[in-house]
Amino acid sequence: MAAPVLRWGCRGRRWALACVDGGSCYRRGPPTGSTCDRIRGQSSVAQQPLHTAQKPRKGEHKWAAVVGLEIHAQISSNSKLFSGSQVRFSAPPNSLVSFFDASLPGTLPVLNRRCVEAAVMTGLALNCHINKKSLFDRKHYFYADLPAGYQITQQRLPIAVNGSLTYGISAGKERGQVIPKTVRVKQIQLEQDSGKSLHDDLRSQTLIDLNRAEGQLRVDANISVHHPGQPLGVRTEVKNLNSIRFLAKAIDYEIQRQISELENGGEILNETRSFHEKLGCTVSMRDKEAKQDYRFMPEPNLPPLLLYDATSLPTGADPQQVINIDQIRETLPELPSVTRERLVQQYGMLPEHSFTLLNEVGLLEFFQNVIKETRAEPKKVTSWVLNIFLGYLKQENLAVSESPVTPSVLAELLDLLDSRTISSSAAKQVFEELWKREGKTPGQIVSEKQLELMQDRGALEQFCYSVMKDHPQVVMDVKKGNSRAINKLIGLVRKATLNRADPAMIKEILEKQLST
Amino acid sequence: HSGSSLRIASAALKQGQITPTELCQKCLSLIKKTKFLNAYITVSEEVALKQAEESEKRYKNGQSLGDLDGIPIAVKDNFSTSGIETTCASNMLKGYVPPYNATVVQKLLDQGALLMGKTNLDEFAMGSGSTDGIFGPVKNPWSYSKQYREKKKQNPHSKSGDSDWLITGGSSGGSAAAVSAFTCYAALGSDTGGSTRNPAAHCGLVGFKPSYGLVSRHGLIPLVNSMDQFYHIFSCITKGPEAQNFIKSFIPILFQFCVFTSSYKEYLVPELSSEIQSLWSRAADLFESQGAKVIEVSLPHTSYSIVCYHVLCTSEVASNMARFDGLQYGKLTVDLKKNTKNPLIHHPFFSHRNYENYFIKAQKVRRLIANDFVNAFNSGVDVLLTPTTLSEAVPYLEFIKEDNRTRSAQDDIFTQAVNMAGLPAVSIPVALSNQGLPIGLQFIGRAFDDQQLLTVAKWFEKQVQFPVIQLQELMDDCSAILENEKIASVSLKQ
């Protein structure tokens, strides 16, 4: 960017960059105005509900929007991608800067092994093809937070390409129906990031911190619109979006803006825009000017990165000196989609439930621990964990790890429910008590509050009989065919038993007695 | 001390014939006497004396660090030296004091060498004359040698006075002049296209460039990362010390008669002086007479090497210069053009538009050039023999008639293909020209066969017995020169 841009990131940090695009993908016509090739895909309009969608005018072709995402994610490692500087949160500015990070003349980059492994893991997790040979390039532009005047990245031949990510959208007519969608990952590349610029308007100065930014995800969105069947439109880039919410808003806004512009006879400029959070709109970041030429050049100080797999590994190779893709694949944890599938198969839960279980940190583990310790059916456990337990957590904005109820305690409670010692509503009462952190076990609470269900069937039959005797009119209603009348009877029996009878059993007994 | 080589000095130190401090003082005084040569940008007198003191202690305790302990050396000013200003002869880095030593500098210091100072160069090592730095040009000590002066007297056309001084060649001219004038026993230079074999040849010195990748470039302020290599210049090859520092132990072996070649065809350019051509031929004959097999090989892509080098060089240079915005260190500047003299920086052959046509093509041509050498070596050749320069050192006034870039393009013809192929090469001074000026020949070896290359070169050096520069008159009568740069007569002493 020729004009200074507010970029923030961190000096010499390890970032992977994934170019992601939506929906089915195909490439039409030459990519407009970009030195970075991106395959853009067509996101079907039905997939992304446009809340502010403007209905196309009569007679107009419908519009299709194309969105490509450039995601900057920091690799978790002890030191930086090309230098030995430490990586630490909240360090004082410029305290984690090596000679190389400061771009002192004569310094040379050294590749961090851990970062390469992380990139390979990411590539494998996203179903990419891992390039056994990848290259590093210099991307040149001038900005104060880029001391060397260039950034080392992987433009020509990145470490991983052609991946995909399957995700689910809650849509469809049936409740809990999840529609699977796939997004393509064009490539994953290792790249150095810049420092952090802090603009001090008071003193009209800009301060540069060459440490690192604070471990955030950063997304740039590329958006264009076109009529289906026609070549892709001119794209704009909206930079530095750091929340999913703003990302969605920015994309929606920009799609609309472009459609309006074009329908009014205007044209879209290939430009960079930023998202104004308060106004909810995108604004152009600079005047019309020549497109940025990054003058990519191979990085002469880093030889090609060669990776091996089990078949290509040279015999007698020192494991410290080589990276084996197959070995890394073995160390991958179970991927979320596999886990979700397994949960659905194993426990018979709805796909929607599997998403919820995985989306909350620690919830899956909690769930599995409860399953281990309880006799109750998985479906019961699912229901309790996702509805009641999660509900209480959300109410108090707690993480799973902060829960006052442990898996064992919940398991105990569910056992009581399962053995019909208590009723469902009683169990909920107990749960509420457990949440108060008074250290009592479910059993203790049940006996204290006398919540045990009546076990004596005979006594219950007696209750039913006397209620029926006392309310002949209601009995008459039931016999006439009024289905709701029986609930009244059930309610009366429950009241009479001080809520210590299982409503299901009450109903069963009443029905039996009524039929005689 | 005339003709004293590093080995002799080292032996003298070990035997206690001279102390490191005395040696250091001697060199410092010579530096002062030869200041007009403009070989040094920074003289690190205090540092050197302190190092000498420590070296002396070690010798007293019988704990010398090796053959380099107490030996004065100089370092070209594009190598980072901790605490000592490193300018690259450019306004961009004037006042820049690095916080670390280049690896090769550190290795020398770890061996106990004494750092006399930072030597002058073409700005950012771009040039072949050592004339284009902000501190002014370097003068070739041979301009003041008895050998040259006497020949000049005989020439009726020669101009009188000092205005006729000769260039050292470049870009590591300061290092060459420093060694040639006896102010130190060895010096570090850098070599991207031959810009130190060139001054080595012009100053009658040995200049050795190891295989690319053999030694760390960390701390060498880069010009063309893919071709830069450091270089050492000394008055003659000695076995052991410097080699031990930088390459695997160098065991002196008997010269095995090896197949030798004299690459002839493409290097026989019209600009090559007939004297050099004849010396080249005689050198080949010498090897042949000793039983080596001398054949002529062809390096067919040589004719493209200049232009290929130009494209790649300017591209990498422009990239390496991108950091000199003056914000982190050096001089704050918006317009880089104002602060560096060399227009080489502003040719982005790797702009998006031109990348395919220029940069990639040049890389392909580079591969072809490198393959020429591979093929030659695969056909049974052990060492290649070529001239180092087109001619002997020329007068400054003649040199500046063309701009440095044109000069480099011409003068580097024998040397820069070697950088492109990453091979080891060494220039050996052979004989004096008719004008009494040094002429050198270049030996090129297989990649990582540095040991064999040096062995061959050492044998050759012994055979030719290149004369020592006679600067005695200069030393004795330096005051006259310091005051008045125009010497009325070259004959200072009868």
Side-chain angles (χ1 to χ4, degrees), chain A residues 140-338:
Chain A
H140 300 80
Y141 63 91
F142 281 110
Y143 198 55
D145 66 7
L146 200 67
Y150 60 84
Q151 172 192 34
I152 300 179
T153 179
Q154 292 189 300
Q155 192 254 355
R156 282 172 295 156
L157 198 57
I159 193 167
V161 291
N162 294 336
S164 64
L165 175 66
T166 306
Y167 59 100
I169 296 274
S170 292
K173 293 169 193 144
E174 293 158 30
R175 188 195 146 264
Q177 186 182 14
V178 171
I179 297 179
K181 290 280 180 188
T182 305
V183 70
R184 283 202 324 170
V185 175
K186 176 176 181 282
Q187 66 189 55
I188 296 180
Q189 61 197 68
L190 284 165
E191 86 176 13
Q192 204 182 20
D193 207 350
S194 58
K196 185 157 65 174
S197 301
L198 305 152
H199 297 291
D200 178 359
D201 293 321
L202 207 59
R203 294 186 194 83
S204 298
Q205 59 183 1
T206 299
L207 308 161
I208 310 288
D209 176 9
L210 296 179
N211 283 357
R212 57 193 288 278
E214 299 283 296
Q216 275 147 334
L217 206 70
R218 211 171 76 232
V219 183
D220 303 331
N222 293 275
I223 300 139
S224 74
V225 297
H226 70 290
H227 295 301
Q230 302 213 333
L232 299 181
V234 175
R235 70 174 178 94
T236 62
E237 186 179 4
V238 183
K239 288 190 83 70
N240 291 334
L241 299 154
N242 57 1
S243 84
I244 303 288
R245 200 163 67 91
F246 289 143
L247 176 63
K249 274 182 145 184
I251 292 172
D252 284 346
Y253 175 84
E254 183 59 19
I255 290 173
Q256 282 319 297
R257 186 192 74 83
Q258 291 193 12
I259 290 175
S260 302
E261 187 70 36
L262 291 171
E263 284 183 344
N264 290 326
E267 64 166 2
I268 306 298
L269 298 169
N270 172 223
E271 60 175 354
T272 306
R273 300 176 74 85
S274 65
F275 183 65
H276 201 295
E277 292 169 13
K278 289 212 176 85
L279 299 176
C281 64
T282 62
V283 284
S284 176
M285 288 179 90
R286 57 181 176 196
D287 301 320
K288 298 174 201 176
E289 53 181 80
K291 76 171 191 260
Q292 177 74 15
D293 182 355
Y294 293 112
R295 292 179 293 134
F296 288 97
M297 184 187 92
E299 167 58 67
N301 292 320
L302 291 170
L305 175 60
L306 299 178
L307 305 174
Y308 298 91
D309 58 23
T311 54
S312 65
L313 198 62
T315 48
D318 179 2
Q320 292 297 327
Q321 297 290 320
V322 296
I323 287 183
N324 184 342
I325 299 169
D326 289 333
Q327 199 172 54
I328 292 179
R329 189 182 278 113
E330 279 162 35
T331 65
L332 280 180
E334 185 179 66
L335 294 179
S337 56
V338 175

Side-chain angles (χ1 to χ4, degrees), chain A residues 299-436:
Chain A
E299 167 58 67
N301 292 320
L302 291 170
L305 175 60
L306 299 178
L307 305 174
Y308 298 91
D309 58 23
T311 54
S312 65
L313 198 62
T315 48
D318 179 2
Q320 292 297 327
Q321 297 290 320
V322 296
I323 287 183
N324 184 342
I325 299 169
D326 289 333
Q327 199 172 54
I328 292 179
R329 189 182 278 113
E330 279 162 35
T331 65
L332 280 180
E334 185 179 66
L335 294 179
S337 56
V338 175
T339 309
R340 286 196 296 268
E341 182 61 34
R342 183 169 58 79
L343 289 172
V344 167
Q345 293 302 323
Q346 196 172 352
Y347 301 120
M349 65 175 72
L350 295 172
E352 161 188 327
H353 295 153
S354 70
F355 274 91
T356 313
L357 270 179
L358 259 62
N359 282 351
E360 194 69 35
V361 176
L363 191 60
L364 177 62
E365 199 185 327
F366 186 93
F367 170 83
Q368 282 169 330
N369 286 338
V370 175
I371 292 265
K372 253 193 277 183
E373 295 190 40
T374 185
R375 285 187 319 262
E377 273 185 18
K379 282 196 172 154
K380 200 70 161 180
V381 179
T382 307
S383 172
W384 268 81
V385 168
L386 291 182
N387 296 327
I388 297 165
F389 175 67
L390 195 58
Y392 270 80
L393 280 180
K394 290 300 175 196
Q395 221 169 40
E396 294 181 26
N397 209 15
L398 294 171
V400 173
S401 55
E402 295 166 318
S403 157
V405 174
T406 65
S408 310
V409 169
L410 181 56
E412 200 184 318
L413 178 60
L414 290 177
D415 279 350
L416 290 173
L417 186 58
D418 186 64
S419 60
R420 304 191 117 185
T421 310
I422 55 176
S423 69
S424 180
S425 54
K428 286 178 188 151
Q429 259 183 286
V430 174
F431 192 86
E432 190 177 336
E433 285 299 313
L434 288 169
W435 203 264
K436 289 182 186 161

Side-chain angles (χ1 to χ4, degrees), chain B residues 76-119:
Chain B
K76 185 175 178 186
D77 207 19
N78 61 351
F79 285 88
S80 290
T81 42
S82 181
I84 300 175
E85 191 183 12
T86 301
T87 67
C88 294
S90 176
N91 275 320
M92 275 312 313
L93 286 178
K94 211 162 169 208
Y96 169 63
V97 179
Y100 73 103
N101 279 324
T103 300
V104 293
V105 171
Q106 190 61 51
K107 282 183 189 271
L108 284 170
L109 296 177
D110 289 345
Q111 294 284 315
L114 314 179
L115 180 56
M116 304 309 289
K118 308 299 291 296
T119 57

